[in-house]
Amino acid sequence: MTNKHLSRYVKDVITLIPEELGYLAATSKIEVPIRDRVAWAIQRAISSNLTVAREWNLPVRGVTSRFDIAILDQDRPPNNH
């Protein structure tokens, strides 16, 4: 998946109606519903052997990296050595 493809899915999220976006901003941490909608849009568009994970952690040599959105290949587990 290229950046061009990802930007198309982000644009889908940006098309939230202003009232919905205003409500989300007033009632929650705004990045959470936006992140979740981006993840959902990507999940719908990718192949079935890929999974979109939110707030995914990858421990590498005692240091954990956190990713707001990660695309994981079920056939190839991440190398965390």
Side-chain angles (χ1 to χ4, degrees), residues 1 6 9 37-46 52 69 71:
M1 180 174 292
L6 288 174
Y9 303 120
R37 288 188 72 155
V38 169
W40 173 244
I42 294 170
Q43 184 65 63
R44 288 186 322 199
I46 61 178
V52 176
I69 298 176
I71 300 174

Side-chain angles (χ1 to χ4, degrees), residues 13 16 24-25 28-39:
V13 173
L16 292 170
L24 292 172
S28 65
K29 290 176 58 177
I30 190 61
E31 69 273 10
V32 173
I34 292 174
R35 180 210 57 210
D36 292 349
R37 288 188 72 155
V38 169

Side-chain angles (χ1 to χ4, degrees), residues 19-79:
E19 294 83 10
E20 180 181 359
L21 193 55
Y23 176 80
L24 292 172
T27 60
S28 65
K29 290 176 58 177
I30 190 61
E31 69 273 10
V32 173
I34 292 174
R35 180 210 57 210
D36 292 349
R37 288 188 72 155
V38 169
W40 173 244
I42 294 170
Q43 184 65 63
R44 288 186 322 199
I46 61 178
S47 66
S48 62
N49 67 321
L50 300 175
T51 301
V52 176
R54 297 164 303 167
E55 295 186 5
W56 187 74
N57 297 309
L58 177 64
V60 177
R61 296 184 187 123
V63 177
T64 300
S65 296
R66 183 180 170 279
F67 300 87
D68 288 331
I69 298 176
I71 300 174
L72 308 174
D73 186 337
Q74 296 172 7
D75 299 329
R76 295 176 49 191
N79 182 359

